[in-house]
Amino acid sequence: MTIRLHRLAFPRAALALLLAGCGAPRAPAMPPRPAAVDSAALLRAADAITADAVRGHVAFLASDDLRGRDTPSPGLERAAEYLAAELRGMGLQPAGDGGSYLQRYPVWEAVPDSPRVSLTVEGAADTPPPVYGRDLFVVPSATYPDGARGLLFGSPRSYAASGRAVLVRSPAHLEGLASDALLDRVAVVPVRPPLDDAVALAPHNARAAGAAGLVLVLDVRLDSAGARGVAAQIARSANPVRIPTLAIRAVASRDLLLAAGAGGALASPPAAPLLLAGTLRLSAPLRPVRRSAPNVVAVLPGGDPRLRREYVVLTAHFDHVGLGAPDEAGDSVYNGADDNAGGTAAVLEIARALTRLERRPARSVLVVAVSGEDRHGAGSAWFAAHPAVPVRRVVADLNLHTVGGSAPGTVAAIGDAYSSLGPLAHRVAAAHPALGLAVAPDPATDGDAFHHGANDDFLRLGVPALSLSSLPGPRSLTPSDEVATFDADKTARVARLALLLAHAVADAPERPAWLPGGREGARRMAARRKFQD
């Protein structure tokens, strides 16, 4: 159904005065006014952003065939090729490497030396060892760009640790890892899918307690593929894993538990952790492997001879987390429809709407689809360090992240207290009630939610940035975030709002302005990314 946007009948000068006085925080300079919001052509272009068009992009990007678009992966490469083809078909100019639409960046992975990975109990030579790749899995390294602070276990060199290791099976017992007295005890309530945050933090809790290593004994229902998914999911936790961490299938852990003196734990979960009498030896030699992953970059040149050398950037991350622990239905593909195929689809449709305008906005619009967001922002960090255009010419970044989740009538303006982009977003939404969207203020008191998108790297560079987000919903980072549960209608409405906002910034005579204290606050919040040490 076509949603007709409300056309303001005020003269341009009166409109600017009206929008400047709607109760927004006072800025040091007048924020960019929506100069062409009352343009019939812009309204028609916004109307052309439909739920069907958005759903069509998401149907491809979030399909099982792309296997969750992990970074790096063949599915991610196919997604990048799709985005490049769409932008090329719209007539946007390539702004990637060597005249292409792709900007490639290096990622490092610590790959286990498979034949030498082992987990044994000293003094129990007769115990059959678990087989790596079938029963035993090393928690893989997160991927990092060049110059990052290290690989899994802190080093790409071989790592072997002996001594007491923490052996856990339960989120409920993980708080006990803060006590040195529990370093040689075993908690044996099974780890069941879906993997929760407590298990993901187990390596960090164990390391803080001084453990030599960590073994996760997995639910008996998890087969080899499920165990591999659990190991991969732990690696996606907020901080790099810095101690040897392995996941072992329950069927293979039985003999180890018996040899370690914890046979009683096999019968029923104990009321308290049991003493592990045997000493585990973990060996996990690693080797670094350098791979690469793509960002997708294109530009729509502006229509003003002077201002076209300045840029409004539209960003969205198009990767997701790949395969993970299966849910109760056995689905192990984390499709990432809302997170963030939907935001990516919205950016594509905004770019298409801009190409439909006979009069382009004054400034150029740079479309940047980044990968590696779920690998600690590797793609956006690389683009910030190697921008397609000079940073001094970038006036604003508008990011779209998980825009279809949660309440259908609300989208949050994350970071709205930092620059005039925030008040402008609130005013544009209020001027167009037919969108059916209320723009809510940033709900995070500590600025954390602002840094779940690709725009924090622009903040560190001193560029005003705003993220439109519905915030994580109940399906976030689960296999159920797929096309069948995706809200294409809301995503299309947020895309229309973002089009009006982007056009207002791109066509305004003034650059966006920092609110009082906003620049310092934005940089301070950007420095607090969860995964930073």
Side-chain angles (χ1 to χ4, degrees), residues 273-316:
L274 297 177
L275 178 66
L276 179 62
T279 298
L280 293 176
R281 181 175 181 84
L282 296 78
S283 180
L286 304 171
R287 57 186 178 86
V289 174
R290 188 180 190 270
R291 296 176 179 169
S292 72
N295 293 329
V296 183
V297 192
V299 64
L300 179 69
D304 184 272
R306 180 178 61 88
L307 291 181
R308 71 172 50 171
R309 301 181 64 191
E310 297 182 350
Y311 298 85
V312 174
V313 181
L314 296 175
T315 55

Side-chain angles (χ1 to χ4, degrees), residues 3 9 38 76 87 104 140 208 238 263 309 332 343 410 435 470 498:
I3 295 181
D38 61 340
L76 184 73
L87 294 168
R104 304 203 69 86
R309 301 181 64 191
S332 61
T410 303
L435 285 171
S470 297

Side-chain angles (χ1 to χ4, degrees), residues 146-172:
D146 277 342
R149 294 178 296 277
L151 298 167
L152 180 63
F153 306 162
S155 170
R157 296 186 294 274
S158 296
Y159 190 107
S162 61
R164 298 294 186 181
V166 181
L167 185 66
V168 301
R169 295 181 74 180
S170 169

Side-chain angles (χ1 to χ4, degrees), residues 123-204:
D126 295 335
T127 301
V131 177
Y132 179 75
R134 186 189 71 190
D135 307 313
L136 179 68
F137 301 90
V138 174
V139 173
S141 168
T143 54
Y144 297 92
D146 277 342
R149 294 178 296 277
L151 298 167
L152 180 63
F153 306 162
S155 170
R157 296 186 294 274
S158 296
Y159 190 107
S162 61
R164 298 294 186 181
V166 181
L167 185 66
V168 301
R169 295 181 74 180
S170 169
H173 292 82
L174 293 182
E175 62 272 13
L177 295 178
S179 169
D180 289 343
L182 295 179
L183 288 182
D184 54 0
R185 295 174 182 265
V186 182
V188 293
V189 178
V191 171
R192 293 188 174 94
L195 192 68
D196 67 10
D197 290 341
V199 179
L201 291 174
H204 316 301

